[in-house]
Amino acid sequence: MKIQLRHIQHAVALAEEGSYTAAARRLNLSQPALSRSIQVLEDLLGAVLFDRTSGGITQTPIGSIVVERGRVLLHDATSVEREVRLALGLDTGSLTIGAGPYPANISVGTACGLLLRDHPRLSVDVRVADWQSLLQAVLDGTLDLAVVEISTAATDTRLDVEALPRHQGYFICNPQHPLVRETALTLDQVRAFPIVSSTLPKRVGAIEATIRVDTFRLLRDIVIHSDVIGLATASQVQADEQAGLVSRLPLELPWMHSQYGFVRLRNRTPSPAALAFMDKLREVEAALSGNAAERARDG
């Protein structure tokens, strides 16, 4: 029997977790199965890799060598898998995207639909979360790219950032809200009511969301059924406005706009699927910007 990559994976996990119980949980194995795997690796190498102590598991000098080299092997194996997926292209490839709540609702869903219309065999995983979590996921390498707030990402030299068109933000409420009847509305009047939004960046510090959500659908439902005020773009609420479900308040603040874009790891070649998705999203965003310009001229 020869050393297999899973034996190395198990040894690295045990070294990093420091206990058989934690490593087995991480690897989704039983503790006896992990113990047997480590014993097999030690037998194949003819050396003890780990010592049990009162403080947990410690590496022997030979174990340290195996773990250090093992991390390199596991990284190389992951790189090989990714390069193969790149070569496979759009027909059988996969794509993992992160999207903040606003871009997810405004354009990412439409872009994914257009991408899958053209490439129905593509495997797509879209994760919606707050922009801080998604930025970290990009840095960890668990996302191919994210469409998120870029005011912080733009200064991180580890990331490639591409801004997408901005969208003016508005305060929205239910049509029976007391502020709907105000003719000279001020920001202080708005802030007297609870505000619901996803996690806001520091650049909009004049607004504090006392209710935080991770999807625009939740925001919309809260606004419709209460006197809570939400933040939205015109395209997000157009249909609900026409249906009489929400109203935009007559207060437009120049600094209250979206500022999201593509974020991905620098020096990491984007897959064909990622490039195709980015093209679709640029098209959707350009169309939204054109529609917004037309509404402004007509209004």
Side-chain angles (χ1 to χ4, degrees):
M1 183 179 180
K2 295 182 178 180
I3 296 174
Q4 298 181 24
L5 196 60
R6 62 183 174 86
H7 295 139
I8 300 297
Q9 181 187 28
H10 296 169
V12 170
L14 180 58
E16 292 178 348
E17 297 295 336
S19 78
Y20 278 91
T21 301
R25 187 183 305 116
R26 167 175 156 179
L27 295 164
N28 198 27
L29 290 174
S30 67
Q31 190 170 330
L34 176 59
S35 296
R36 287 194 298 272
S37 177
I38 298 299
Q39 184 62 59
V40 167
L41 181 58
E42 290 179 329
D43 291 344
L44 289 169
L45 292 172
V48 175
L49 304 180
F50 298 95
D51 289 328
R52 291 180 181 267
T53 68
S54 58
I57 299 298
T58 61
Q59 303 168 46
T60 67
I62 299 298
S64 296
I65 293 172
V66 171
V67 169
E68 182 179 351
R69 293 294 301 155
R71 289 193 177 101
V72 176
L73 289 171
L74 293 173
H75 179 269
D76 288 346
T78 301
S79 296
V80 168
E81 291 177 1
R82 185 172 183 276
E83 290 302 320
V84 170
R85 290 197 300 271
L86 284 174
L88 289 173
L90 288 167
D91 288 338
T92 56
S94 63
L95 177 63
T96 304
I97 308 165
Y102 281 97
N105 180 261
I106 294 169
S107 58
V108 169
T110 302
C112 285
L114 295 174
L115 178 67
L116 291 166
R117 179 196 62 188
D118 295 342
H119 307 283
R121 296 177 62 191
L122 185 64
S123 174
V124 178
D125 180 0
V126 183
R127 304 173 189 179
V128 179
D130 63 88
W131 56 272
Q132 299 103 317
S133 299
L134 294 175
L135 281 180
Q136 188 58 53
V138 171
L139 290 169
D140 292 342
T142 57
L143 293 175
D144 292 309
L145 68 131
V147 186
V148 291
E149 168 74 25
I150 62 171
S151 56
T152 299
T155 62
D156 193 322
T157 57
R158 297 169 294 176
L159 298 170
D160 272 335
V161 176
E162 177 189 330
L164 289 165
R166 293 181 175 184
H167 303 279
Q168 179 62 43
Y170 299 92
F171 294 110
I172 62 168
C173 60
N174 75 68
Q176 289 75 45
H177 197 284
L179 293 184
V180 170
R181 296 184 293 273
E182 292 289 336
T183 56
L185 189 63
T186 67
L187 181 57
D188 285 339
Q189 288 177 291
V190 172
R191 288 189 298 200
F193 289 85
I195 294 177
V196 57
S197 175
S198 60
T199 303
L200 293 171
K202 291 182 179 179
R203 64 180 178 82
V204 290
I207 304 169
E208 181 181 357
T210 55
I211 303 163
R212 198 196 69 81
V213 295
D214 278 334
T215 69
F216 185 76
R217 180 56 189 261
L218 273 174
L219 182 154
R220 169 189 179 274
D221 289 347
I222 290 171
V223 167
I224 288 174
H225 297 287
S226 72
D227 279 343
V228 172
I229 293 174
L231 307 179
T233 66
S235 65
Q236 287 180 289
V237 296
Q238 184 177 12
D240 283 338
E241 281 187 294
Q242 292 173 348
L245 295 174
V246 302
S247 295
R248 266 189 287 170
L249 290 175
L251 178 62
E252 185 172 326
L253 303 172
W255 48 264
M256 198 169 82
H257 56 75
S258 68
Q259 191 172 318
Y260 59 78
F262 298 115
V263 178
R264 57 185 181 84
L265 274 179
R266 182 163 291 172
N267 301 324
R268 182 176 181 179
T269 305
S271 68
L275 292 172
F277 167 75
M278 292 170 74
D279 284 341
K280 294 295 185 186
L281 190 58
R282 291 186 192 102
E283 292 175 10
V284 174
E285 287 284 341
L288 288 171
S289 295
N291 291 339
E294 289 182 10
R295 285 195 297 268
R297 287 195 298 271
D298 294 341

